[in-house]
Amino acid sequence: MAEAHQAVAFQFTVTPEGIDLQMSHQALTEIYLSGMRSWKKRIIRLKNSVITGVYPASPSSWLFVVIAILATMYTRSDPSMGLIAKIQEHLPVSQSMSTQCQAVVSAVLFSTMLWLLLIFTMRLCLKQLLSYHRWMFEQHGKMSNTTKVWVALVRIFSGRKPLLYSYQGSLPNLPVPAIKDTVKRYLESVRPLMDDTKYERMTKLAEEFESSLGNRLQWYLKLKVLSLTNVYSLLPTHFCFLLYFIPTFLYLFFSYHPFCFISFPPLFLAHTSFLYWPIPLYPAQWLLRSAVPCCSYQFERMFDTCRIPGTLTDTVQHWQDSDYIVVYHRGRYFRLRVYQAGRLLSPREIEFQIQRILDDPSPPCKGEAKLGALTAGDRIPWAKARMKYFSSGVNKRSLDCIEKAAFFVALDDDEQGMMGDDPAASLDRYAKSLLHGKCYDRWFDKSFSVVYYKNGKNGINAEHSWADAPVLSHLWEFTLAFDSFQLGYNAEGHCKGDVDSSLPRPQKLSWEIPPECEEQISQSLAVAQALADDVDFHVFPFQDFGKGKIKKCRVSPDAFIQMALQLAYYRDQKRFCLTYEASMTRLFREGRTETVRSCTNESRAFVQAFDADVCSRLFRTALEKHQLLYRLAMTGAGIDRHLFCLYVVSKYLGVESPFLKEVLSEPWRLSTSQTPVQLSEMFDPVNHPEYVSPGGGFGPVADDGYGVSYCVVGDCMINFHISCKRSCPVTDTHKFGAQIRKALHDLLQLLSPTQKEPSKVEESRPEVKKDL
């Protein structure tokens, strides 16, 4: 109750003797400092908006233009060709304004218009320059003269020291490919999956669609593009992510590990204190080849964001300036403020506050312990329960607190990591725990949740509708690097620094859960638990070789791994399947992902002829085709987003397309994604091999398929995450993992037959104690 009284700034009571007024100076001080912090952030946001709004120019350049124009006026020349005089004629006549003053004001107005025109011209030129993508199709290391000139022009028009959103107004919009090109590429992509009869039937459907309904849908889609920045991101995000009424934590989530070969201090609460500190230092602006910017739109919703359930569709809600996080521990939810008196708490103070949560003996409220299961079950029951039981009173206040928090933190009493007599199996359990936990100890609607285990291991669990994996993975890696090399701990394992003993205790959230809601919680937990139990996860670090040896063979590491997956899947299933590989489209404004269909005619021919003499030549051809498809996807010439948007338009118009219906019903039995890592830039994996993360993973897309995530770490390691469903009799993660290992070795031997087989490296390393 003491904390509750501190939260009240003043209270008064009317008595027969008069009004009894009581004021809390501490609460009033907090309100004042909170208001000051809010206004400071608004001013900073306004300042950044001005800077990004005039980019690639700078606000100071306006003064330079004004001075230059005024200087020319005093030399009796008119750079405006009479426009300044015209402006002066139409200025409001003022008795207090002399003729000379009017001339100066007119010159300033002309200078401002000229400055804005220059900014518009520079932005238009930069936008046209960024629409050039031929550089992606050039051989690596061999840049044409045209591309060299283009890079120089991009750097000239880009200005200096861009902020996070400086390039947003200059990025081109994602183009709409021609119907005939998309249909042609689609037919080419399904040819290796169909026999002659099925392919002939699909060709007829495609030709009928292209010559009739397709042109009409394309016309409507182009009209829609005029009103939206990126229709290819908005429509798939809404219809693929938010219109998802079954549990989302398996299909629309991804997770990331920290370093697996480091044993952190047993005071795991000290390790949780680095959450906020590296964020202001994070270099969020991505530049490909140090010149080409990527869209930063997804960073806007990283924090203070939550998925809100609905009976018709879910929505993504974003707030601003949350100054607290929500912590879950042993069935209880706590609000932990990370700002005090207008300043960010130090790592030692955050550790102190988390220790208070760990020491809190209060039990959970009735129905609170497994409340998070509502976010793990079916979406419509959760939406109805939210409206019925959480729309008013104490439940609404507590739910608002969770949904508006910067992010969610789960303090888990379990121990995870590579440990025990079977470190490989423990790593599998670690990955599976990060993906879904106990199905009630995460708030799956939050943009992301940070999970800390009892033995100091940690990880991150993220919802997919607001952003894609690379955005959060790079922040997580940067945070790990900051914690490892800059934060530091004292001899006892605590964070360095002092503690302000006057910090208010974390506030435990209160709930009033009726029996009917508890029943819904139990039902949601049962649905989620059945789905979680059916997931099989296998994580293994492939350390026999990495991208170093692959690049020596002059091939793309990603294409090499994708061909290995094709070979492994064919050996495992004795067939080919529709394969999904995610490719970013962030070269365009608000771009997200496009699909690379990795199973091609070339890859099929290579796999089927693996033991033949022509295998090496076919392998090179398949690699080149995959790289071409990846580049086409990145530059807006993909297949699946275009076809899906046409399907959405057909539903809007109320017309049926047999071709589109069949296209959208095809299962992705092999869903793959490369986790782009920057760990090699922050760490030296050769001299410090213990600072290695296995990356992240996700669940399978199809019930009879695999989900495969891989990340290339340094020159000597490739980490794989493989998932499938235990209920499927034809899939097995460990069996498929063994096939991937064999395929990787076979392909390297194929490219360099004279090279000796690389020596095996033991998978499980002894953990390295992290210095305190």
Side-chain angles (χ1 to χ4, degrees):
M1 293 298 293
E3 292 78 20
H5 286 301
Q6 289 178 4
V8 180
F10 65 91
Q11 57 184 349
F12 66 91
T13 306
V14 179
T15 65
E17 291 79 16
I19 297 177
D20 182 17
L21 179 63
Q22 296 182 358
M23 301 181 63
S24 171
H25 293 286
Q26 181 179 357
L28 288 174
T29 302
E30 286 293 326
I31 292 174
Y32 168 76
L33 293 174
S34 177
M36 290 295 296
R37 172 177 167 269
S38 177
W39 276 105
K40 285 181 180 179
K41 294 194 73 171
R42 289 184 182 183
I43 293 173
I44 293 174
R45 191 177 293 116
L46 177 61
K47 172 188 171 184
N48 290 339
S49 298
V50 172
I51 294 175
T52 57
V54 302
Y55 192 85
S58 63
S60 59
S61 62
W62 171 83
L63 184 60
F64 174 81
V65 174
V66 171
I67 294 175
I69 295 297
L70 290 175
T72 57
M73 290 180 62
Y74 281 104
T75 59
R76 299 185 181 278
S77 61
D78 186 7
S80 69
M81 293 181 293
L83 287 178
I84 294 178
K86 288 288 185 182
I87 295 174
Q88 186 174 352
E89 290 177 7
H90 292 85
L91 280 178
V93 179
S94 175
Q95 299 295 331
S96 59
M97 185 179 295
S98 63
T99 303
Q100 185 177 6
C101 185
Q102 291 181 23
V104 171
V105 171
S106 301
V108 170
L109 290 175
F110 170 77
S111 303
T112 303
M113 290 188 292
L114 177 62
W115 179 65
L116 293 174
L117 179 62
L118 291 173
I119 291 173
F120 175 79
T121 303
M122 292 179 67
R123 279 191 152 184
L124 187 62
C125 292
L126 183 58
K127 192 169 188 176
Q128 293 300 316
L129 286 170
L130 295 179
S131 299
Y132 171 85
H133 298 123
R134 196 174 301 170
W135 59 272
M136 292 194 63
F137 297 87
E138 296 176 350
Q139 186 176 351
H140 187 69
K142 295 183 179 180
M143 187 181 298
S144 66
N145 291 331
T146 303
T147 301
K148 290 178 181 178
V149 173
W150 170 77
V151 170
L153 290 174
V154 168
R155 289 176 175 171
I156 291 173
F157 282 93
S158 293
R160 294 189 297 175
K161 296 182 180 180
L163 298 180
L164 178 59
Y165 304 115
S166 293
Y167 286 104
Q168 290 300 96
S170 302
L171 290 173
N173 294 339
L174 197 63
V176 179
I179 280 283
K180 63 177 183 179
D181 294 337
T182 298
V183 171
K184 178 182 177 182
R185 294 190 186 109
Y186 169 77
L187 291 174
E188 184 181 358
S189 72
V190 297
R191 185 64 186 96
L193 309 175
M194 297 180 178
D195 56 29
D196 294 341
T197 303
K198 291 183 178 179
Y199 183 71
E200 184 178 354
R201 173 181 168 275
M202 181 57 73
T203 301
K204 290 181 179 179
L205 288 176
E207 290 175 350
E208 292 175 2
F209 172 77
E210 181 183 347
S211 60
S212 57
L213 181 60
N215 291 324
R216 181 187 173 194
L217 298 180
Q218 180 84 342
W219 186 78
Y220 276 99
L221 182 60
K222 288 184 176 180
L223 288 179
K224 191 68 175 176
V225 168
L226 296 177
S227 62
L228 296 173
T229 303
N230 194 327
V231 68
Y232 281 1
S233 294
L234 180 63
L235 294 183
T237 297
H238 179 75
F239 288 94
C240 291
F241 293 148
L242 300 179
L243 283 177
Y244 210 87
F245 298 125
I246 62 176
T248 61
F249 71 88
L250 177 60
Y251 304 104
L252 301 183
F253 272 76
F254 49 88
S255 58
Y256 287 99
H257 290 72
F259 311 118
C260 282
F261 306 115
I262 294 180
S263 178
F264 289 101
L267 296 172
F268 83 101
L269 59 101
H271 194 54
T272 67
S273 61
F274 71 94
L275 292 173
Y276 265 101
W277 278 87
I279 293 172
L281 306 176
Y282 178 61
Q285 182 61 61
W286 291 3
L287 295 175
L288 297 182
R289 296 196 179 182
S290 302
V292 187
C294 293
C295 178
S296 302
Y297 167 73
Q298 297 179 46
F299 286 96
E300 294 181 12
R301 298 181 293 179
M302 181 177 293
F303 301 99
D304 319 327
T305 298
C306 190
R307 179 182 181 132
I308 307 299
T311 54
L312 297 178
T313 177
D314 288 2
T315 57
V316 175
Q317 185 70 42
H318 175 70
W319 294 270
Q320 290 183 348
D321 297 340
S322 293
D323 61 354
Y324 67 92
I325 59 177
V326 168
V327 180
Y328 177 90
H329 179 245
R330 292 185 180 177
R332 305 160 304 167
Y333 294 86
F334 293 86
R335 173 176 175 167
L336 193 163
R337 299 180 67 92
V338 293
Y339 281 89
Q340 170 72 8
R343 65 172 180 85
L344 179 66
L345 297 186
S346 68
R348 182 68 181 91
E349 289 172 327
I350 296 178
E351 176 191 347
F352 176 74
Q353 293 291 72
I354 293 178
Q355 183 64 62
R356 284 178 162 180
I357 293 176
L358 296 175
D359 295 339
D360 192 314
S362 60
C365 298
K366 187 174 182 295
E368 178 186 11
K370 299 180 179 181
L371 180 63
L374 290 172
T375 66
D378 292 327
R379 302 301 295 173
I380 292 181
W382 167 215
K384 293 180 178 179
R386 187 177 185 276
M387 289 187 293
K388 186 174 182 180
Y389 306 115
F390 299 90
S391 58
S392 62
V394 64
N395 287 348
K396 184 180 187 306
R397 291 193 294 270
S398 296
L399 180 62
D400 285 347
C401 182
I402 294 177
E403 293 179 342
K404 295 179 180 180
F407 54 89
F408 190 83
V409 175
L411 304 180
D412 201 316
D413 284 336
D414 295 338
E415 294 187 358
Q416 297 290 349
M418 296 186 68
M419 55 189 184
D421 298 331
D422 192 351
S426 65
L427 186 58
D428 293 347
R429 292 192 295 270
Y430 189 6
K432 185 174 170 63
S433 174
L434 279 179
L435 185 65
H436 56 70
K438 300 180 180 67
C439 297
Y440 60 80
D441 55 349
R442 317 276 192 269
W443 199 266
F444 292 103
D445 286 352
K446 286 298 294 179
S447 55
F448 68 93
S449 301
V450 184
V451 183
Y452 292 97
Y453 295 99
K454 189 176 181 179
N455 59 338
K457 294 297 184 181
N458 53 61
I460 199 164
N461 173 284
E463 202 268 333
H464 198 1
S465 63
W466 64 275
D468 301 312
V471 172
L472 195 58
S473 68
H474 279 197
L475 175 68
W476 182 238
E477 291 169 355
F478 184 81
T479 305
L480 291 174
F482 188 90
D483 174 56
S484 300
F485 300 112
Q486 298 189 40
L487 181 60
Y489 304 91
N490 60 27
E492 291 77 25
H494 295 285
C495 293
K496 297 178 181 178
D498 300 322
V499 177
D500 182 358
S501 58
S502 65
L503 290 175
R505 299 180 66 87
Q507 177 188 356
K508 182 179 179 300
L509 303 185
S510 300
W511 307 89
E512 295 177 357
I513 310 297
E516 298 83 5
C517 186
E518 289 188 73
E519 178 63 26
Q520 182 56 61
I521 293 173
S522 300
Q523 293 176 10
S524 297
L525 180 58
V527 170
Q529 194 65 59
L531 188 60
D533 292 342
D534 194 26
V535 178
D536 186 23
F537 240 92
H538 178 43
V539 181
F540 69 91
F542 181 82
Q543 305 176 55
D544 297 342
F545 61 86
K547 69 177 182 181
K549 288 188 176 180
I550 297 174
K551 284 186 173 182
K552 287 181 180 179
C553 300
R554 297 186 177 181
V555 298
S556 162
D558 180 74
F560 181 91
I561 296 172
Q562 283 292 325
M563 292 306 105
L565 293 176
Q566 290 298 314
L567 180 59
Y569 186 86
Y570 182 75
R571 288 171 171 175
D572 183 61
Q573 298 291 319
K574 304 300 185 290
R575 62 177 179 177
F576 296 95
C577 73
L578 191 63
T579 305
Y580 176 103
E581 183 188 5
S583 167
M584 78 163 189
T585 56
R586 291 181 59 202
L587 295 177
F588 302 93
R589 186 169 182 178
E590 297 183 14
R592 293 199 59 171
T593 60
E594 177 58 277
T595 303
V596 180
R597 296 184 169 220
S598 302
C599 184
T600 61
N601 291 321
E602 290 79 1
S603 66
R604 175 173 177 163
F606 150 67
V607 170
Q608 290 179 330
F610 184 76
D611 295 324
D613 295 336
V614 296
C615 180
S616 179
R617 176 176 57 82
L618 293 175
F619 183 37
R620 293 277 182 179
T621 303
L623 291 172
E624 292 173 2
K625 181 56 179 287
H626 181 270
Q627 285 186 275
L628 175 63
L629 292 178
Y630 201 94
R631 290 162 177 165
L632 288 172
M634 286 188 66
T635 54
I639 300 171
D640 290 273
R641 299 300 178 267
H642 187 198
L643 292 176
F644 183 82
C645 289
L646 292 174
Y647 176 77
V648 172
V649 173
S650 71
K651 287 298 182 182
Y652 173 76
L653 296 177
V655 295
E656 289 292 334
S657 170
F659 170 70
L660 291 176
K661 185 177 181 180
E662 191 153 338
V663 169
L664 271 297
S665 64
E666 295 169 342
W668 299 96
R669 291 191 174 92
L670 186 55
S671 179
T672 72
S673 178
Q674 179 182 176
T675 304
V677 296
Q678 56 185 9
L679 286 173
S680 57
E681 301 173 6
M682 301 178 182
F683 311 100
D684 183 357
V686 176
N687 297 321
H688 298 283
E690 68 274 13
Y691 288 99
V692 171
S693 168
F698 49 85
V701 175
D703 291 340
D704 59 346
Y706 291 107
V708 181
S709 175
Y710 55 93
C711 63
V712 181
V713 183
D715 289 334
C716 303
M717 178 180 287
I718 307 172
N719 292 322
F720 288 89
H721 284 241
I722 308 173
S723 64
C724 71
K725 289 195 172 182
R726 291 193 173 103
S727 58
C728 179
V730 298
T731 56
D732 183 280
T733 57
H734 289 78
K735 180 183 175 183
F736 189 48
Q739 293 287 9
I740 293 175
R741 288 177 181 274
K742 186 176 186 305
L744 290 170
H745 282 291
D746 290 345
L747 296 189
L748 184 66
Q749 186 69 18
L750 181 66
L751 290 176
S752 51
T754 59
Q755 187 172 351
K756 294 182 179 181
E757 184 75 9
S759 60
K760 305 288 183 181
V761 180
E762 194 68 25
E763 283 186 31
S764 57
R765 317 181 192 183
E767 285 198 341
V768 179
K769 293 289 184 179
K770 185 177 181 182
D771 295 334
L772 300 179

